[in-house]
Amino acid sequence: MQIFRTVFNIPPSDYKLSYNTKSLFIGSCFTENIGNRLSELKFNVDVNPFGVLYNPISVKNGLEILIQKKTFKEKDLQYYNEQWFSFYHHSRFSDTDKVECLRKINDRITISSKQLEESELLFITFGTAWIYKYIKSGEIVSNCHKIPEKKFKRILLSTCDIFDEYSVLFKKLIDFNPNLKIVFTLSPVRHLKDGAISNQLSKAILLETIHQFCDFFDNLEYFPAYEIMMDDLRDYRFYEEDMIHPNKIAIKYLWEKFSETYINKSSLNLINEIDKIISAKKHKPFNISTERHKIFVKINLEKILKIEKSNSDINFEEEKKYFEEQLL
């Protein structure tokens, strides 16, 4: 039978995630799609400690902040439109209260710095090679926070720019965590605000740079999320209505390819059981007082206890509380 699409095999990676593995995901939207799915399935993962970061320099800056265990102070914040914020962070960290803004930023740095130090795997996703430099200070920003565009200078990074910055970063990362392995991905999300031609140029720069990393440095590899979306799926029916972002079907397919490549067999089997428990928690019962529903709840509590006996690192506190409350 003829296959009317371009299907290609991805070799299984020697880098494997398990329920005993710590990992950190940082970068563009694809990072959140995969990282949040791992988190939902109870893996020990930290996802985007600075919020979504699109360009390689912002990702590098974020990782260096974690390595330095930097504490942000008032001088590191900006104030605009009645919000305190950091140019290194997504707006989810912004706040009308300066103290609260600093608390959110510094608490997350403390947690994520420890995670990076103890992780076996670091997943980095680049989104665009275009950067925005704040003219007043010369800072390369991770987010413009709705400040007028005229306040920034827009610059396209070169392959050499990125390679030079990361050559220094890789040494810092290995000094910080000698056991760390790094996987790069290129976001399949198209940055059409840059223009169709500029977006393709940007992606080409990032793709070339990533492959140079893999050729020149040890403990690095590439996962072809971009190629899966562009060549395997290759159809607008796999996009959201904006025709820019992958839709749920595409994300599910990318997740399947990712999990086949990076999750070990025993954890893949366990995922199925955990997914059933998570789905059961999402189930909205018509009447929680029926005997049938109580049996359903008890069965799920038994499943949780069974998994916990052999996997003490998996945290089911939220699910146990939910089910136990329905037995009261």
Side-chain angles (χ1 to χ4, degrees):
M1 179 179 176
Q2 188 172 355
I3 299 173
F4 293 97
R5 42 190 272 261
T6 307
V7 181
F8 57 92
N9 294 320
I10 303 170
S13 174
D14 291 332
Y15 306 164
K16 292 296 184 183
L17 285 166
S18 74
Y19 277 99
N20 298 317
T21 306
K22 289 187 177 182
S23 62
L24 190 142
F25 283 66
I26 189 167
S28 191
C29 299
F30 176 76
T31 289
E32 301 222 324
N33 292 332
I34 299 300
N36 288 343
R37 178 63 176 151
L38 285 166
S39 180
E40 181 185 40
L41 291 167
K42 307 296 181 181
F43 282 84
N44 192 338
V45 57
D46 191 350
V47 183
N48 271 347
F50 298 85
V52 177
L53 303 176
Y54 298 101
N55 72 77
I57 302 303
S58 291
V59 171
K60 183 210 70 134
N61 289 341
L63 289 169
E64 287 185 338
I65 287 168
L66 297 183
I67 291 169
Q68 295 162 6
K69 302 182 180 181
K70 176 180 169 68
T71 299
F72 274 67
K73 299 178 180 177
E74 183 180 338
K75 65 180 178 63
D76 300 308
L77 299 182
Q78 308 287 331
Y79 186 75
Y80 180 78
N81 199 24
E82 301 183 49
Q83 291 278 321
W84 291 94
F85 63 89
S86 155
F87 274 138
Y88 294 95
H89 291 77
H90 188 269
S91 57
R92 70 180 67 163
F93 290 90
S94 304
D95 204 281
T96 54
D97 186 318
K98 169 177 52 182
V99 175
E100 180 63 14
C101 177
L102 286 171
R103 185 198 65 77
K104 287 190 286 188
I105 288 171
N106 288 324
D107 284 358
R108 189 60 186 276
I109 289 172
T110 299
I111 293 168
S112 299
S113 178
K114 187 174 187 294
Q115 182 80 3
L116 178 61
E117 194 169 17
E118 297 174 353
S119 286
E120 293 180 33
L121 285 167
L122 169 64
F123 291 86
I124 298 174
T125 304
F126 289 162
T128 179
W130 288 98
I131 59 170
Y132 285 83
K133 184 177 286 190
Y134 190 44
I135 295 170
K136 184 178 179 180
S137 65
E139 292 175 274
I140 295 171
V141 305
S142 302
N143 192 297
C144 294
H145 295 277
K146 298 183 179 180
I147 294 174
E149 192 171 342
K150 65 183 180 181
K151 302 286 186 181
F152 299 90
K153 184 178 181 181
R154 184 168 170 264
I155 303 167
L156 181 65
L157 295 170
S158 70
T159 301
C160 290
D161 293 332
I162 305 168
F163 190 90
D164 289 347
E165 293 283 352
Y166 274 75
S167 296
V168 177
L169 175 65
F170 292 145
K171 185 178 185 308
K172 291 179 180 178
L173 282 168
I174 298 306
D175 287 345
F176 187 64
N177 179 353
N179 299 316
L180 193 65
K181 307 289 191 300
I182 303 171
V183 177
F184 278 93
T185 60
L186 179 59
S187 171
V189 176
R190 295 181 298 157
H191 291 252
L192 290 185
K193 288 182 180 179
D194 295 330
I197 295 172
S198 292
N199 171 68
Q200 288 295 87
L201 175 59
S202 164
K203 296 292 188 186
I205 289 168
L206 296 175
L207 191 59
E208 181 183 1
T209 307
I210 290 169
H211 284 290
Q212 285 189 8
F213 291 161
C214 295
D215 288 341
F216 278 88
F217 299 99
D218 296 328
N219 300 327
L220 270 72
E221 67 179 42
Y222 174 67
F223 175 72
Y226 181 77
E227 289 79 1
I228 292 169
M229 195 70 200
M230 296 295 110
D231 291 319
D232 186 346
L233 300 182
R234 198 181 178 85
D235 193 301
Y236 278 114
R237 66 195 163 113
F238 297 113
Y239 285 86
E240 295 286 3
E241 289 182 3
D242 62 7
M243 302 300 170
I244 294 172
H245 292 84
N247 62 17
K248 289 181 180 178
I249 297 171
I251 291 169
K252 183 180 178 183
Y253 185 73
L254 286 163
W255 160 254
E256 288 170 356
K257 291 292 186 182
F258 176 88
S259 58
E260 289 169 3
T261 307
Y262 288 107
I263 299 177
N264 69 12
K265 286 185 179 179
S266 61
S267 296
L268 280 173
N269 294 331
L270 196 52
I271 279 174
N272 294 327
E273 297 304 312
I274 292 173
D275 210 13
K276 289 175 185 176
I277 294 168
I278 293 166
S279 296
K281 181 178 176 292
K282 292 177 181 177
H283 172 71
K284 300 298 180 186
F286 180 73
N287 186 346
I288 64 171
S289 62
T290 63
E291 190 61 31
R292 183 176 180 180
H293 180 68
K294 288 181 179 179
I295 292 170
F296 170 79
V297 168
K298 288 176 181 177
I299 287 171
N300 280 286
L301 283 170
E302 287 172 5
K303 287 180 180 178
I304 289 171
L305 290 172
K306 183 180 177 182
I307 292 172
E308 284 183 329
K309 280 183 180 179
S310 54
N311 299 274
S312 58
D313 292 330
I314 300 177
N315 187 340
F316 280 109
E317 290 305 312
E318 184 181 335
E319 287 75 18
K320 284 195 291 187
K321 181 180 178 183
Y322 172 80
F323 288 125
E324 286 168 354
E325 285 177 348
Q326 294 187 37
L327 293 176
L328 297 176

